[in-house]
Amino acid sequence: METPLVGGWVRDHPRATTLLLAVVGYAAVVGVFAVPSVQALFPELTLGQVNLLAHAIAVVNTLAATSLAAGWYWIRNDEVSKHAHAMLSAFVLILLFLSMYLPKVAGGGTKEFVLESAYAWVPLWEWVYPAYLLMLAIHILLSILAMPLVLYAVVLGVTHTPDELRTQTPHRKVGRVAASTWILSLVLGVVTYVLLNHLYGYEFVAA
């Protein structure tokens, strides 16, 4: 991308733009978790619909992590155009994730981990559940921390040329932290999804 995709006020105020977008994102997530009037905007989901969304989210997150890893590889090999397209693809995938995650949380209830399995080869060690909770907690924490970093890296990326990004912005430094945090969060999210939905049992608590 030799010319910026976005100019004007957004280009002149990337930090303010990032802050605004982050506030909107945090507000949406907090709303579906804790604000009844926001939750009421979404339809109540059945367990089957919750499972369908969970499977779709896992696929999207896997694709996003793959795109991020590819983008990281390409920028290390100075393939700027491929890097940019990979990172924008990952960002679009995360927007798709949010379009499924918000209604799933607001109208789908929760699935509580149960230390049992339909497979004899799956271990039922006592530390499995604490390990699951730890991975889930790290996944959530990294997701919270990654949002403003990812948004800032994306805003800089779409408002500056490659030369400007290298010489006039902290895009490289911010992008490195954002991508590593984001990838780890996505991987842990997929791992906990597999544990909860495929290897071990769960108890569904409707919204």
Side-chain angles (χ1 to χ4, degrees):
M1 297 180 184
E2 295 302 327
T3 58
L5 291 176
V6 180
W9 188 90
V10 174
R11 174 182 166 86
D12 295 335
H13 302 88
R15 292 184 180 178
T17 301
T18 299
L19 178 61
L20 178 61
L21 293 174
V23 168
V24 171
Y26 286 135
V29 174
V30 171
V32 297
F33 272 102
V35 182
S37 60
V38 175
Q39 295 169 342
L41 298 174
F42 298 90
E44 187 173 335
L45 303 178
T46 65
L47 175 58
Q49 291 169 323
V50 170
N51 285 335
L52 181 61
L53 285 174
H55 301 331
I57 286 171
V59 171
V60 167
N61 284 348
T62 300
L63 293 174
T66 303
S67 294
L68 287 168
W72 199 333
Y73 170 80
W74 280 322
I75 198 61
R76 289 178 66 86
N77 288 274
D78 203 30
E79 297 186 72
V80 176
S81 180
K82 289 182 179 180
H83 162 79
H85 284 94
M87 292 311 192
L88 286 178
S89 295
F91 185 69
V92 170
L93 286 167
I94 291 305
L95 294 179
L96 178 59
F97 154 79
L98 283 174
S99 73
M100 296 184 289
Y101 178 76
L102 295 180
K104 175 177 175 290
V105 170
T110 58
K111 294 164 72 173
E112 304 292 342
F113 185 95
V114 177
L115 189 57
E116 62 183 27
S117 178
Y119 307 105
W121 53 269
V122 173
L124 300 178
W125 300 318
E126 291 184 359
W127 55 263
V128 169
Y129 181 53
Y132 166 83
L133 290 179
L134 178 61
M135 287 188 289
L136 184 62
I138 295 173
H139 160 68
I140 293 172
L141 177 61
L142 290 178
S143 298
I144 294 171
L145 296 176
M147 182 187 292
L149 295 172
V150 169
L151 288 172
Y152 190 41
V154 170
V155 169
L156 290 175
V158 299
T159 57
H160 293 77
T161 67
D163 286 340
E164 290 172 337
L165 288 174
R166 291 190 184 98
T167 60
Q168 301 177 21
T169 76
H171 178 78
R172 181 176 182 178
K173 181 183 296 185
V174 173
R176 185 184 299 116
V177 177
S180 58
T181 305
W182 197 2
I183 290 173
L184 181 55
S185 172
L186 290 170
V187 170
L188 288 175
V190 173
V191 170
T192 54
Y193 155 81
V194 171
L195 292 174
L196 180 64
N197 291 275
H198 296 287
L199 294 183
Y200 294 94
Y202 60 80
E203 180 180 348
F204 179 64
V205 181

